[in-house]
């Protein structure tokens, strides 16, 4: 299953970069997911890509999706604590063709799977029909 993660209202890509690093360190998630950063278009006067806009995620099964959601919720809570109080919440958007879901502190893996319609996902490129990554 292929998904995309974006941080709403993150033009510099700092929160997206922090989320990418957080997810890359999650050992449970690493067993069943492949992550890759996708930078935006180059800024005027620069030759390389712009800031991190999207995190591409390829999951091998629904258990990996549950690990991803759990890790995102933990990331949001850790960022809130690090900021030391109220402020603009970090809104993580989990997207798949035709669907976009905002992950918040109350999100559960079961609820997100249901909202994504991922109970029986079509295999994505790089994932076999039995749910194993190639």
């Amino acid at each position: 299953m292929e998904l995309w993660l974006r941080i709403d209202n993150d033009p510099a890509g700092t929160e997206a970069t922090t989320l990418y690093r957080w997810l890359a360190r999650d050992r449970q998630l690493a067993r069943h997911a492949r992550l890759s950063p996708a930078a935006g278009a180059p800024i005027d006067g620069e030759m390389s890509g712009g800031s991190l806009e999207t995190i591409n995620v390829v999951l091998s099964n629904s258990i990996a999706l549950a690990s991803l959601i759990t890790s995102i919720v933990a990331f949001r809570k850790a960022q809130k604590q690090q900021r030391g109080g109220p402020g603009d919440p970090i809104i993580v958007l989990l997207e798949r063709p035709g669907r976009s879901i905002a992950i918040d502190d109350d999100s559960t893996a079961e609820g997100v799977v249901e909202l994504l319609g991922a109970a029986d996902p079509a295999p994505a490129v790089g994932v076999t029909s039995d749910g194993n990554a190639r």
Side-chain angles (χ1 to χ4, degrees):
M1 169 187 340
E2 186 170 7
L3 303 168
W4 302 274
L5 299 175
R6 279 188 313 109
I7 305 284
D8 192 34
N9 198 20
D10 184 29
T14 49
E15 296 295 350
T17 300
T18 304
L19 174 60
Y20 176 76
R21 289 178 182 150
W22 176 279
L23 295 174
R25 287 190 306 257
D26 186 324
R27 290 182 188 172
Q28 178 67 25
L29 185 61
R31 288 186 210 138
H32 302 285
R34 284 184 293 141
L35 305 171
S36 59
I43 299 169
D44 288 340
E46 293 185 11
M47 293 182 68
S48 62
S51 61
L52 179 63
E53 286 187 358
T54 304
I55 301 168
N56 299 322
V57 182
V58 177
L59 302 170
S60 62
N61 55 44
S62 294
I63 293 169
L65 178 58
S67 292
L68 176 66
I69 303 309
T70 302
S71 194
I72 292 170
V73 170
F75 166 79
R76 290 185 75 251
K77 288 179 181 179
Q79 291 301 100
K80 189 187 300 183
Q81 287 176 344
Q82 205 169 48
R83 291 177 178 188
D88 291 335
I90 297 171
I91 301 170
V92 179
L93 300 172
L94 190 145
E95 299 174 336
R96 144 175 210 186
R99 303 243 167 90
S100 180
I101 297 172
I103 307 296
D104 61 23
D105 293 341
D106 297 324
S107 294
T108 63
E110 296 82 14
V112 173
V113 169
E114 186 176 320
L115 288 171
L116 281 175
D120 187 25
V125 174
V127 178
T128 62
S129 61
D130 61 358
N132 294 315
R134 289 191 250 209

